[in-house]
Structures are given as structure tokens and as C-alpha cells.
């Protein structure tokens, strides 16, 4: 059933739909991972990293909504269900329990790095089929790379 008709050709829509769905899953999981670490971080840099993690959560949540709405605008129903996120995310499992501040930063560097790598693949994939979606993914990737840089600098 098509409720919203996309202006894209079917083959292009398939490519863009996969890119947007993958981005949605990674962004939702990034928000969950950052919040899990946020709740469990301990150590001398607790407060600054605790607050920095909330910035990532806010960014990831905002971007996930933007990606989901872009998919909807193209007639693709976004899927942010827990099972879909768990099975499709590129982020390694977040550690359970208390996490030392340096380990928390390392986990965020890894998580952001994974998402950025996959986002850059999506940027490439959407270049021909849909420059609008590509532009959206470029902006999100730039923001994630800023967070990635800041976390890398934390443990330098």
C-alpha cells in the first residue's frame, strides 16, 4: 500500500529507503548507547563527560526524527522498533554496569566511528538517486564527526 507517492524511480527509492532506514537504526542505537553510558559513567571526569553524552543523545534523537520524516516524505514507512534497532545497528553492545570515564569515552569513540563509517557509505549510495537525502545525510555526518572529534580529544 502506498499512502505517499515518491517522486523517485523505484530503483532509486529502494537505494534511498535502505540508506535512510539504516541511518535511522544507527542513530536510534547511538542515542540509546550514549544514554546508557550517561547513566553509568564514574570517575573524576564524570560531570563533563556526563553532560557531553547528553549532547550526543540530543543530536542523535533530533537527527533520527529528521531521517524518519524524510523517509515518510518519500513514502517509505520508517521502522524504529526495538527489535529492528537491535538487529540492524552497527554499534557494538554497550557495556553493562558502571563504566570508568576513560572507558566511556573509548566506547563513544568506537560507537561514533562505526556510525560515521556507515553514514559515509550512505552518503555515497544516495548521491545519484536522491541529492536531497544525500544532503541530509551529509549534514548529519558532519555533526557526528564533530562529536567524534571531541570524544577523541577527551582521551588524547
Amino acid at each position: 500500500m502506498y499512502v505517499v507517492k515518491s517522486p523517485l524511480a523505484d530503483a532509486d527509492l529502494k537505494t534511498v529507503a535502505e540508506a535512510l532506514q539504516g541511518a535511522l537504526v544507527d542513530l536510534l542505537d547511538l542515542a540509546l548507547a550514549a544514554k546508557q553510558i550517561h547513566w553509568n559513567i564514574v570517575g573524576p571526569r564524570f560531570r563533563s563527560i556526563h553532560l557531553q553524552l547528553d549532547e550526543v543523545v540530543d543530536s542523535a534523537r533530533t537527527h533520527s526524527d529528521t531521517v524518519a520524516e524524510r523517509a515518510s516524505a518519500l513514502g517509505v514507512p520508517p521502522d524504529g522498533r526495538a527489535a529492528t534497532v537491535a538487529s540492524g545497528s552497527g554499534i557494538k553492545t554497550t557495556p553493562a554496569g558502571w563504566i570508568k570515564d576513560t572507558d566511556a569515552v573509548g566506547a563513544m569513540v568506537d560507537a561514533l566511528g562505526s556510525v560515521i563509517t556507515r553514514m559515509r557509505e550512505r552518503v555515497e549510495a544516495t548521491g545519484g538517486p536522491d541529492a536531497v537525502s544525500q544532503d541530509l545525510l551529509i549534514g548529519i555526518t558532519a555533526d557526528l564527526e564533530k562529536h567524534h572529534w571531541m570524544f577523541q580529544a577527551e582521551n588524547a
Side-chain angles (χ1 to χ4, degrees), residues 98-143:
W98 302 120
I99 183 166
K100 189 171 173 3
D101 52 6
T102 54
D103 295 336
V105 170
M108 286 307 300
V109 167
D110 290 347
L112 284 160
S114 294
V115 174
I116 290 165
T117 297
R118 289 164 53 111
M119 291 297 279
R120 284 186 161 275
E121 292 168 359
R122 295 176 186 118
V123 166
E124 288 295 320
T126 55
D130 183 26
V132 176
S133 294
Q134 183 190 44
D135 185 56
L136 184 142
L137 295 172
I138 288 169
I140 292 169
T141 304
D143 187 51

Side-chain angles (χ1 to χ4, degrees), residues 29 33 90-96 107:
D29 199 25
I91 299 173
K92 290 190 284 187
T93 302
T94 306

Side-chain angles (χ1 to χ4, degrees), residues 10-45:
D10 287 345
D12 289 344
L13 181 60
K14 181 178 184 310
T15 299
V16 173
E18 288 171 1
L20 293 173
Q21 179 59 39
L24 176 62
V25 164
D26 280 349
L27 290 165
L28 290 171
D29 199 25
L30 180 62
L32 291 170
K35 204 54 157 168
Q36 178 67 23
I37 294 168
H38 168 91
W39 293 323
N40 289 285
I41 187 172
V42 294
R45 296 182 300 155

